[in-house]
Amino acid sequence: MCGILALTHNDTSSTSAAVELHEALYLLQHRGQDACGIAVCGSGGRIYQRKGNGMAARVFHEGAHLVDLPGYMGLGHLRYPTAGSSANAEAQPFYVNSPYGIIFAHNGNLINAEDLKLFLKEKARRHINTDSDSELMLNIFAYELNKTGKARVNAEEVFASLGRMYGRCVGGFACTAMIAGASVIGFRDPYGIRPLILGQRPSKSGNGFDYMMASESVALDQLGYSQAVDILPGQAVIIPKGSSPIYRQVAPQLGYSPDIFEFVYFARPDTVIDGISVHRSRQNMGYKLADMILNVLGKDGVKDIDVVIPIPETSNTSALSVCHRLKKPYCQGFVKNRYVFRTFIMPGQKARQKSVRRKLNAMKSEFEGRSVLLIDDSIVRGTTSREIVLMAREAGARKQLTVRGHAHIYGIDLASPQELVAHNRDSQEVADHIGADAVIYQSLSDLKEACAELSPRDPRTQSFEVGVFCGEYVTPVEENYFEHIEYLRGENQRLKAMESARQAVVHGTAGEKEMRIAAKGLVVDAHGNFLEDDDEVKMNGYKVNGARERDEEPTHVKSQTDISLHNFGDYPEGG
């Protein structure tokens, strides 16, 4: 999951595109805190860019660096780490100079990345310098666009190139792109898994309209863009410089299946995705969840509940619906520290446990002596839930029922299947694992119905990408892809663990384990599991340095800067 943006001002003398993109980054910051960037195009087709690891405030120094980004059109990106690593080099937007100078921002995952790498190396003769599948997609697009052999390309030639790119790239994605001095582009995968929406507003020059694309409608609303339309599955839109949007179906629409986890967790409640209100969908989830609770516990079991307490913040809306349906009091028993972010993406169990305590505090007055119904939006590894249940116990709760909840391959890096708390466990075993008296899950059919009932399309045929819950994905996935993802995840976590050990040594806080890691390093096996044995052995085709026996396997490093354009990551000290 990432956040993507594109913007073009009708007035080509404008130099303020970056100002709006920067504001939009804050509105979509929840979609990615790992890295961000802005690239704009100014007079003469010159591209200006700033990007790097960290949140928008840090990368752009609270907006102080926007003066160095003059342009009338541009792209923005917020990175959430999925496939690839967290190196500065993988901050987006990406850039290639040939053909025409293309800037690219990508949200999602490609499930045939290894095949694309081979194609680009052996046939397209295009060099790939990172592990990011976003760079792969950009180079596939550039390769197809280069086939025109012309000094300038028109919209129809761009659409044709995109169509050929769709024939090679498989997965769930939404992308924005910019051809220097010519146009901005947006497009979605044939199933519409990742969101993209376009809005317009009268140009400040008084002539024509300005246009903006974003992952969520809230960015358009807050910046004054209206008449929003969703880019359809398999559809692309091109907005030429100083002109109006041109739409084209560049690939067959194979379905209309937005990712349901956007509605459950990731999107802001004030967003509308594909015509479905996130807020209203969460209300519906709560009503259906209340019916499930009544069915499981019975009237006597529900009567024993003293209070309903949500785990802030995405479960707040559903919890309120549960209260209304069950006629139980609602209480904000946990106070959230808004300056600590999502814990399930943290690399280690201890780090996640510590972060839960930083993020939430239980008010003893709301728990003491009460039977508490806790509403959570999801249970992933169970680390957070176990700590929350323990905090409620410590605050005096006499009884706790926790309600709600496979790997996610289309751009949400939750965990490998083996790490998920429900892997090979039933609901009572999950409850025992996290320390609750009981756990009640919402049924998948209820979850889908809660969203489908609000769809502007036929609710009876409205489908969703639900692989995150059941392991059945919209696009067919080969088994070795999951092994590939697990290895990449493990390699990324290995680098973070090694850096943490080195920092502990520098600051004099390292224990025996940190000292050993700092001196000898860590390795990962084929499944991304950490190994501390430094003997020269092989495991599942991997040497002890974690690299599969392939020709020219790159050395993985913690920090690598972008070689295409000057960016923030090139100068981390001076900013």
Side-chain angles (χ1 to χ4, degrees), residues 174-463:
C175 304
T176 54
M178 177 171 65
I179 299 177
S183 59
V184 294
I185 305 164
F187 52 92
R188 289 176 80 180
D189 69 82
Y191 292 94
I193 296 170
R194 300 258 65 86
L196 187 63
I197 190 166
L198 168 68
Q200 68 179 47
R201 73 172 184 206
S203 172
K204 293 179 181 178
S205 68
N207 298 314
F209 292 90
D210 300 332
Y211 297 94
M212 181 180 239
M213 285 180 274
S215 297
E216 295 187 29
S217 62
V218 62
L220 307 182
D221 295 340
Q222 290 291 299
L223 292 170
Y225 289 82
S226 59
Q227 299 184 40
V229 293
D230 293 292
I231 307 304
L232 298 175
Q235 187 181 61
V237 58
I238 296 176
I239 310 174
K241 177 175 67 175
S243 189
S244 301
I246 305 169
Y247 297 90
R248 190 75 77 251
Q249 193 72 31
V250 295
Q253 182 174 320
L254 301 179
Y256 208 137
S257 305
D259 191 339
I260 206 162
F261 215 51
E262 292 275 0
F263 301 96
V264 172
Y265 188 79
F266 276 121
R268 278 180 48 152
D270 46 351
T271 280
V272 177
I273 296 177
D274 293 308
I276 301 173
S277 163
V278 173
H279 175 71
R280 291 291 177 87
S281 71
R282 290 176 185 170
Q283 283 183 322
N284 273 4
M285 292 174 203
Y287 290 129
K288 294 181 183 297
L289 189 57
D291 294 339
M292 175 67 73
I293 294 167
L294 186 59
N295 182 57
V296 172
L297 298 181
K299 291 184 179 180
D300 290 339
V302 170
K303 191 178 298 184
D304 188 48
I305 297 170
D306 295 316
V307 64
V308 177
I309 296 180
I311 312 304
E313 291 179 331
T314 44
S315 60
N316 291 0
T317 304
S318 294
L320 197 55
S321 294
V322 170
C323 292
H324 289 161
R325 185 63 60 93
L326 298 181
K327 296 180 173 57
K328 293 292 179 178
Y330 173 91
C331 173
Q332 290 277 7
F334 286 102
V335 177
K336 183 178 181 180
N337 180 345
R338 299 177 184 276
Y339 303 99
V340 178
F341 291 93
R342 288 167 174 149
T343 59
F344 66 71
I345 61 173
M346 291 186 171
Q349 291 283 74
K350 289 184 178 179
R352 283 188 288 272
Q353 289 168 345
K354 189 174 182 180
S355 184
V356 173
R357 297 275 178 168
R358 286 201 199 105
K359 185 171 73 171
L360 296 174
N361 183 51
M363 290 190 287
K364 189 173 182 178
S365 61
E366 306 308 312
F367 287 91
E368 195 165 22
R370 300 173 111 180
S371 176
V372 179
L373 179 66
L374 299 178
I375 307 293
D376 205 350
D377 47 49
S378 56
I379 304 176
V380 186
R381 295 176 179 89
T383 311
T384 300
S385 298
R386 189 187 306 119
E387 203 68 17
I388 286 171
V389 169
L390 180 59
M391 290 165 64
R393 297 275 189 208
E394 292 170 351
R398 65 176 176 86
K399 188 175 182 181
Q400 293 184 78
L401 308 174
T402 300
V403 184
R404 193 127 60 129
H406 282 292
H408 199 293
I409 64 172
Y410 300 125
I412 303 177
D413 186 25
L414 295 180
S416 65
Q418 291 73 24
E419 290 181 279
L420 297 176
V421 68
H423 185 68
N424 290 332
R425 291 189 179 104
D426 61 27
S427 58
Q428 188 54 52
E429 289 171 328
V430 172
D432 294 340
H433 181 76
I434 67 174
D437 293 286
V439 168
I440 301 171
Y441 283 100
Q442 179 150 60
S443 70
L444 185 55
S445 59
D446 279 354
L447 184 61
K448 290 190 288 188
E449 286 177 14
C451 299
E453 289 170 359
L454 300 168
S455 175
R457 297 162 291 282
D458 186 347
R460 294 170 297 179
T461 59
Q462 175 66 64
S463 61

Side-chain angles (χ1 to χ4, degrees), residues 482-501:
F482 295 103
E483 294 180 6
H484 170 68
I485 287 294
E486 285 185 29
Y487 174 70
L488 287 180
R489 180 185 292 113
E491 186 63 32
N492 192 19
Q493 292 178 351
R494 179 185 73 87
L495 295 173
K496 290 181 178 180
M498 288 175 62
E499 177 61 18
S500 177

Side-chain angles (χ1 to χ4, degrees), residues 7 9 15-23 38 40 66 69-71 73:
L7 171 71
H9 288 162
T15 59
S16 61
V19 175
E20 286 195 74
L21 289 167
H22 178 250
E23 183 69 22
I38 291 174
V40 297
L66 297 179
L69 298 171
M73 65 178 178

